[in-house]
Amino acid sequence: MSRADRARVGAYGAAACAAAYGSMKLAQALGANALADKDPLPPQLREMLLARDPLFVASHWLLAGAAVVGVIVALATVRPWGVTVPRRLLLAIAWTLGVFMIARSIGGLGFGFVGDALLLTGVRPAPVEHAALARTLARWDLLLWSPFFLLWGMCWATAGWRLGRRGSLANNRRHFR
């Protein structure tokens, strides 16, 4: 696979992940459960989420909107109309999102492979009053959310890496074929 093809895969992968995540958040904003009960949140926040607290409903609308922006930004890294967006801005967004999502998947932000493994092996004890729920959510995070964020982050990083290596978009229109 050529470098240009890898860039396309990264950009389209980031766009697809953003669309999937945004669709889930939109469904939650409209009242669907759509994995809301699998979010690895502290129990009091989880209860607010499942009770459709207005703050969580509003946050889902914001996240769905941010996902739409994410799709557009991801596609701007490989589509001809992306030349109108400042390259440095695209680079900053792609790398920031890539690093953030990879860190989240590994466990640098509290959740992720490391935190879930520590909880499930008993190295990090679960809260006594919510031990069963904490283990269930850690399993979901380990098997669904962390791999998803790792994939999404790698797609963003691939798109950013290729965009940075390619130079100015305006001078490299041939890469958009």
Side-chain angles (χ1 to χ4, degrees):
M1 181 181 294
S2 74
R3 281 189 256 176
D5 289 340
R6 282 193 298 272
R8 283 187 202 96
V9 167
Y12 288 121
C17 288
Y21 188 78
S23 297
M24 180 188 68
K25 291 302 179 182
L26 178 62
Q28 289 175 349
L30 293 171
N33 185 8
L35 296 171
D37 60 335
K38 308 303 187 242
D39 272 343
L41 293 170
Q44 66 276 14
L45 292 178
R46 184 174 187 273
E47 288 174 21
M48 290 173 63
L49 169 68
L50 296 176
R52 298 201 33 81
D53 181 84
L55 177 65
F56 276 97
V57 173
S59 73
H60 291 327
W61 281 107
L62 287 173
L63 289 169
V68 170
V69 172
V71 170
I72 293 167
V73 170
L75 294 177
T77 66
V78 291
R79 302 303 305 159
W81 49 264
V83 300
T84 62
V85 181
R87 186 172 147 271
R88 287 185 182 180
L89 177 62
L90 290 176
L91 276 168
I93 293 170
W95 278 111
T96 300
L97 290 173
V99 168
F100 175 78
M101 290 177 183
I102 291 169
R104 188 269 181 233
S105 72
I106 292 170
L109 303 176
F111 301 107
F113 294 117
V114 174
D116 297 334
L118 291 174
L119 186 116
L120 291 171
T121 59
V123 173
R124 186 181 83 199
V128 176
E129 65 277 6
H130 304 288
L133 176 62
R135 283 192 287 280
T136 298
L137 294 178
R139 281 187 205 95
W140 273 98
D141 190 62
L142 188 64
L143 298 174
L144 175 65
W145 300 117
S146 291
F148 177 76
F149 280 104
L150 180 61
L151 171 67
W152 197 1
M154 289 173 54
C155 288
W156 276 116
T158 300
W161 178 78
R162 182 63 181 129
L163 183 63
R165 290 183 47 93
R166 190 169 66 226
S168 171
L169 288 173
N171 296 330
N172 290 285
R173 288 184 182 255
R174 69 182 179 280
H175 291 287
F176 294 119
R177 286 182 271 179

